[in-house]
Amino acid sequence: MRLTRRHGLLLPWFMLPALAHANVVLTVDGVDDSLKGAIVSGVELSQYAARDVTAAQVRRLYEKAPDEVQAALRPYGYYEATATGDMQQVGNDWHVTLHVVPGVPVTVKSVNVDIDGDAAKVPAVRFALRGVNGLKGKPMNDGQYDAARDGVSGALTATGFLDAKLVTRRVEVNRAEHSASVQLKWETGQRYRYGQIHFKNSQFRDGFLDRYVPFKSGDYFSQGQLLQLQQALNGADYFAVVNVIPDTDNAKEGHIDIDVELAPAKRTIYTGGPFFGTDTGAGLRGGIEKRWINDRGHKWKNELVLAQRLKTLSTLYQIPMPGPNQRSFNFGANFRDANTVTSKSRTLQLVANETRLWHGWQRTIGVNALSGTFTVGKRGGEGDDAEGLERGRSTLLYPEVTLSRKKGDNPTFVRSGWSLTLTARSTAGTLLSDARFSQVIGDVKWIQSFWGRNRLILRGSAGKIWTDDFSALPPQLRFFAGGDRSVRGYDFESIGPRNQFNRVIGGEGLLVGSSEVEHYFTKNWGMAAFVDAGNAFTGTDYSPRVGAGLGIRWLSPVGMIRADLAVPVGDKNEHGIHLHVVIGPDL
């Protein structure tokens, strides 16, 4: 059907005054928003919304508009679209309205795909073929057709069919029947396998880097596995440059060698500088890390923290082991002098554990020896002889198991992701321990963006302790609530069960949750509104405290900086505004 124009709506052009400076205001009706956007993009009139246009130009562009509408809608399956228009001069501008009748869309009636049977059995290819077959019964959308077709070609290449060719690509449109048929044929050729892996410019002994390779020689080629290899080598923190390159030019007998080009990173890292956290106060941090000690890839990391309420000195030695599960043995020591609003502790902890990848999780199994002195039940700046304080000295030896997993679409700013950490620890009776105890802890966080520049962040923590002598547990093994990563609006570890002198001494249970919404005004700046609730408790005496507030978010060059102002809600004993500052990644 030929497009129509309402010429009677056009005033005689010689009667229209010529405008030296005028713009076009374009309006489209008769179609939904998705088609409206395509029309506006395809009609040349829209280019003069903020550009000067003369009367002669408006006339010429208006005459062209109906044909441009038809061309804009054809990729969406509308081959019989018609458009009429209205135009009038308002002030110095031209107001043009296009009335569009899209007509009946062309529908895909049949899809015929010819592909080698072995290739069609590969899961990634089979999934991509569903996208092509899913076109049947839908309007003939060129973009969706191209994406589905290219998805199959991409899946073939990604799974080792490197010689695959699309030899037939035909779309036949029957306008009279408003139907289309799709015919596609691929000649897949042989499926390639991995040959040898060559690590170039590595500073390690032969075979060490094999532990990061998620495949072996003879396996089918997979681009996804090559990406995993690159990410694993980058994550190992040994190299400044990692390039994983399949040597397709020299493929022999269906096998492709993989060249891994490497450039060692700086061997020794010195870190340090001031920092501030509302849980720890202002302080200085310094560290020395050896990315590798020898050609076996051993690592050694040392850190000193001197803050108002926390002082630590730690060392950790890591021994990577061969194998694809990235197993390593770790030995460390940590001296900790902590001083919160409710407790003081000075402890020495020795750690020996094994970490590895385990069914998609990071698993840590080890043993801890913890010894030191502590005081709980503090209030403000009281002296150590205040009535009601509880003091202790204990030594504990306990195994510990941790499972952690996280997934995010961007390590710097997560739009969709989550993390989960589960920890269990327990003494073996009273073996080298002053008390029996068992403890389980779970921490979860979930992030999801919505409506463009918004994020919903949910997090929760839960824990339980079983012990025959709670008073022998140092503060870091008890449960408290309050602080930057707990219930904002309260000081760090300031809420929990109290003794007979009404002093906070920590609890055997923990349950905390948080809901937060962020909105970003720019790429790097945003604000947040949040509500936190929870408490530490003993037995079943659980009474959650609630904190709420607003915050500022800045995606700085050193990472996300969060500054929050929060107040307790519905708590007659706690008042005032609390500042909470946290610097670090989302997950």
Side-chain angles (χ1 to χ4, degrees), residues 568-585:
V569 177
D571 191 334
K572 63 182 180 180
N573 297 317
E574 293 288 341
H575 306 280
I577 299 175
H578 289 70
L579 171 67
H580 300 273
V581 178
V582 177
I583 303 174

Side-chain angles (χ1 to χ4, degrees), residues 266-301:
K266 187 177 180 181
R267 187 170 187 174
T268 303
I269 305 173
Y270 300 92
T271 58
F275 71 92
F276 176 80
T278 45
D279 289 348
T280 61
L284 295 172
R285 177 184 285 112
I288 301 175
E289 179 181 357
K290 291 285 188 179
R291 280 179 162 137
W292 70 92
I293 298 292
N294 49 38
D295 64 359
R296 295 180 176 88
H298 293 192
K299 292 174 173 283
W300 188 25
K301 183 176 183 179

Side-chain angles (χ1 to χ4, degrees), residues 262-549:
L262 304 167
K266 187 177 180 181
R267 187 170 187 174
T268 303
I269 305 173
Y270 300 92
T271 58
F275 71 92
F276 176 80
T278 45
D279 289 348
T280 61
L284 295 172
R285 177 184 285 112
I288 301 175
E289 179 181 357
K290 291 285 188 179
R291 280 179 162 137
W292 70 92
I293 298 292
N294 49 38
D295 64 359
R296 295 180 176 88
H298 293 192
K299 292 174 173 283
W300 188 25
K301 183 176 183 179
N302 304 275
E303 185 178 55
L304 173 66
V305 173
L306 298 173
Q308 291 173 286
R309 293 185 288 276
L310 177 67
K311 299 172 181 63
T312 64
L313 176 63
S314 60
T315 184
L316 178 67
Y317 193 88
Q318 182 179 5
I319 304 175
M321 303 300 292
N325 53 14
Q326 299 185 31
R327 181 185 180 204
S328 66
F329 289 107
N330 312 286
F331 304 93
N334 180 44
F335 173 76
R336 176 185 176 91
D337 185 350
N339 186 1
T340 73
V341 296
T342 57
S343 69
K344 292 176 62 176
S345 64
R346 182 173 292 179
T347 57
L348 176 65
Q349 184 176 18
L350 303 178
V351 178
N353 59 44
E354 178 227 43
T355 62
R356 67 165 65 190
L357 295 178
W358 182 74
H359 299 289
W361 295 76
Q362 182 75 26
R363 189 190 74 182
T364 302
I365 299 177
V367 61
N368 295 262
L370 179 65
S371 181
T373 61
F374 56 88
T375 302
V376 293
K378 289 176 50 188
R379 289 182 192 151
E382 288 181 327
D384 292 341
D385 57 349
E387 183 182 17
L389 291 177
E390 298 186 8
R391 301 175 183 83
R393 174 187 293 273
S394 66
T395 297
L396 300 169
L397 179 70
Y398 54 92
E400 179 177 279
V401 179
T402 298
L403 292 175
S404 62
R405 190 170 185 173
K406 64 181 179 180
K407 182 179 181 181
D409 57 355
N410 187 315
T412 303
F413 184 82
V414 177
R415 290 174 175 80
S416 178
W418 56 270
S419 66
L420 176 62
T421 301
L422 304 172
T423 301
R425 51 176 71 105
S426 178
T427 58
T430 56
L431 177 65
L432 301 178
S433 299
D434 294 331
R436 296 184 178 93
F437 87 95
S438 298
Q439 183 182 62
V440 293
I441 307 171
D443 293 290
V444 63
K445 190 172 185 179
W446 180 78
I447 302 175
Q448 183 61 56
S449 63
F450 66 98
W451 296 347
R453 293 182 173 181
N454 303 285
R455 294 199 304 176
L456 173 64
I457 302 176
L458 304 177
R459 61 174 170 84
S461 298
K464 176 63 179 175
I465 298 173
W466 297 268
T467 181
D468 63 348
D469 187 3
F470 184 76
S471 64
L473 299 183
Q476 59 258 53
L477 291 178
R478 304 184 184 192
F479 290 128
F480 297 85
D484 302 341
R485 294 178 172 87
S486 182
V487 181
R488 286 164 287 188
Y490 293 83
D491 288 330
F492 178 59
E493 295 189 348
S494 65
I495 51 180
R498 301 171 181 263
N499 63 10
Q500 60 181 338
F501 296 93
N502 198 35
R503 296 178 178 274
V504 177
I505 60 172
E508 299 176 356
L510 177 71
L511 189 59
V512 172
S514 172
S515 177
E516 181 173 317
V517 175
E518 295 179 344
H519 173 73
Y520 285 82
F521 304 101
T522 68
K523 181 180 179 181
N524 297 322
W525 286 93
M527 67 173 295
F530 57 86
V531 176
D532 303 337
N535 206 341
F537 59 96
T538 296
T540 59
D541 185 18
Y542 178 69
S543 178
R545 300 290 188 269
V546 179

